[in-house]
Amino acid sequence: MIKTALVLCLLLILSARSIGQQSYDCENKVLTKSLEEKLSGYVLDQPLDKKQFYTNDWCEAIVTLKEGRTITGELLRYNGFLDKFIWLKKITNQQLILNDEIIEKVDLNPGKLIGNSHFERLKVKRWFDTDTVSVFLEVLTEGPISLYSQRKIADNQSSNDYNSEYLFFISIKDSPLSVIKPRKKNLLAASGKYEDKCKLALKKSGLSIRNEYDLVRVAEYLNSTVDFSR
């Protein structure tokens, strides 16, 4: 009789543990769902013009929120005309303009043959701004010299079309971001107290700057050759 009672008690304990574990798993599923629903936005009545977008196709994205949580597997495209990310909601096939106030950074994976694009929401002051504003910038390179680009797309009223008007920003040793044109003299002027060192390094290298590719290549070269510690 005593053995039977002990067996029953043991079975009750194991059953309680199993129920507790099932409850914990359920809570995890609810948590995962709530994380997926952290993205929010405004539903578009109709799709936006494809020429407003930085990429031709929807890209799998990793979205990092300001609170530190990360959302993966969603389909996004960056709209350079609005400076907004557009979200294709898989379940409903709706397109939404994402609420960017909660976003810290976005990584887009356009495909296997093209490298990832990393965007951060940063404060800048452009020539037409009266104060600093928060915009999405694509990270081109980071180091003592960091370069970023706003993939701005503007409408051409004369042709009823859209043009790429990319803006470039530079930061030297964590200084505030400032606008830069892809030219050697502009890079040297932005380098401040490191100008002589950068000028000497570029003279030895023979590198020139005519476009975005050159600008990034020169910045990476200077990051690896110039002593920015003093």
Side-chain angles (χ1 to χ4, degrees):
M1 190 71 179
I2 295 174
K3 289 182 179 180
T4 303
L6 288 173
V7 170
L8 286 172
C9 287
L10 181 60
L11 288 173
L12 286 171
I13 291 171
L14 291 174
S15 176
R17 286 183 178 177
S18 175
I19 292 171
Q21 183 63 45
Q22 289 173 1
S23 174
Y24 178 77
D25 289 343
C26 180
E27 288 174 1
N28 276 351
K29 288 175 183 177
V30 172
L31 177 61
T32 302
K33 185 178 179 182
S34 68
L35 285 176
E36 290 171 355
E37 292 174 349
K38 278 290 181 179
L39 286 182
S40 62
Y42 308 95
V43 178
L44 290 168
D45 294 331
Q46 57 186 13
L48 298 170
D49 193 317
K50 292 181 179 179
K51 294 178 182 178
Q52 296 181 3
F53 291 92
Y54 179 47
T55 56
N56 293 326
D57 301 309
W58 295 99
C59 306
E60 282 204 2
I62 301 173
V63 182
T64 303
L65 305 180
K66 286 184 177 179
E67 63 185 37
R69 296 183 180 182
T70 300
I71 299 169
T72 62
E74 299 297 336
L75 296 176
L76 302 183
R77 291 172 78 184
Y78 174 70
N79 186 297
F81 182 68
L82 300 175
D83 185 37
K84 300 283 186 181
F85 278 95
I86 310 302
W87 172 29
L88 179 62
K89 204 167 183 181
K90 299 175 185 176
I91 298 176
T92 61
N93 205 38
Q94 290 175 309
Q95 294 186 28
L96 296 85
I97 299 177
L98 276 184
N99 173 20
D100 48 32
E101 295 298 324
I102 62 172
I103 297 174
E104 179 179 331
K105 54 187 177 181
V106 177
D107 288 281
L108 296 180
N109 181 10
K112 295 180 179 179
L113 301 178
I114 306 175
N116 291 4
S117 294
H118 176 71
F119 287 81
E120 293 186 8
R121 188 162 166 78
L122 300 169
K123 286 188 175 182
V124 300
K125 189 175 186 302
R126 300 160 295 192
W127 65 267
F128 50 85
D129 294 319
T130 56
D131 200 356
T132 57
V133 293
S134 294
V135 298
F136 283 110
L137 300 180
E138 183 178 12
V139 180
L140 303 180
T141 187
E142 289 184 307
I145 299 177
S146 295
L147 292 173
Y148 307 85
S149 177
Q150 183 184 11
R151 300 307 188 181
K152 182 178 174 59
I153 296 175
D155 58 337
N156 188 330
Q157 296 181 357
S158 61
S159 63
N160 293 322
D161 206 349
Y162 294 93
N163 297 325
S164 298
E165 294 184 359
Y166 298 161
L167 297 175
F168 299 97
F169 296 85
I170 188 169
S171 173
I172 309 288
K173 293 288 289 183
D174 299 321
S175 64
L177 289 170
S178 59
V179 179
I180 183 175
K181 291 185 178 181
R183 296 291 183 270
K184 183 189 290 187
K185 65 177 182 179
N186 298 107
L187 176 59
L188 291 174
S191 58
K193 66 179 183 179
Y194 305 104
E195 182 175 354
D196 291 339
K197 290 182 178 181
C198 292
K199 186 182 293 185
L200 181 60
L202 288 180
K203 186 176 181 180
K204 291 179 179 178
S205 70
L207 293 173
S208 60
I209 303 176
R210 298 184 182 87
N211 50 41
E212 176 183 339
Y213 172 80
D214 292 339
L215 181 63
V216 175
R217 183 177 61 163
V218 166
E220 291 176 343
Y221 172 78
L222 294 176
N223 282 340
S224 64
T225 57
V226 173
D227 181 8
F228 288 92
S229 61
R230 49 189 176 86

